[in-house]
Amino acid sequence: MNAPAPVAVGYTVATTPDAAFRQCEAIEEYARTEGIALAQIVTDDHDTITISQVAETARLHEAQLVLIPAGVVLAEVREGITDALAPLGAACVVVGHARETEA
């Protein structure tokens, strides 16, 4: 019997549809490659979602992972996300390359 796939929530922040598309694409490709079930991608088009809101979304989906594209602000403060996810037993993974996923 196969174990269930780990569940993840993705997070994007972009001011243009093209940048948002590239970020979603990076998250989806990582999830596919790693055999991760992607429950939701949170789209933040005004950079207003907080770390606690991302953690709450992970909690609601019982996600073990939060996938964040490289090059966005939350990727740079990964330690804060890691701390917020720790009580949930979840982790943060930064995916892609900054030049490919920048907002």
Side-chain angles (χ1 to χ4, degrees):
M1 175 185 259
N2 290 337
V7 175
V9 170
Y11 168 84
T12 66
V13 58
T15 56
T16 68
D18 187 50
F21 177 79
R22 286 193 312 272
Q23 290 177 16
C24 285
E25 204 171 42
I27 290 168
E28 291 167 352
E29 178 63 24
Y30 182 85
R32 252 189 318 277
T33 301
E34 298 298 321
I36 296 167
L38 190 57
Q40 178 182 354
I41 296 179
V42 176
T43 304
D44 184 1
D45 55 358
H46 297 294
D47 198 15
T48 58
I49 293 177
T50 65
I51 290 172
S52 61
Q53 289 170 308
V54 173
E56 177 63 11
T57 302
R59 186 191 67 75
L60 290 172
H61 288 288
E62 298 180 356
Q64 292 85 26
L65 299 168
V66 172
L67 308 178
I68 298 176
V72 302
V73 173
L74 282 185
E76 296 169 13
V77 294
R78 181 176 175 201
E79 186 175 307
I81 296 170
T82 299
D83 291 346
L85 294 173
L88 307 174
C92 175
V93 177
V94 177
V95 302
H97 303 285
R99 63 178 159 47
E100 295 172 359
T101 59
E102 287 177 339

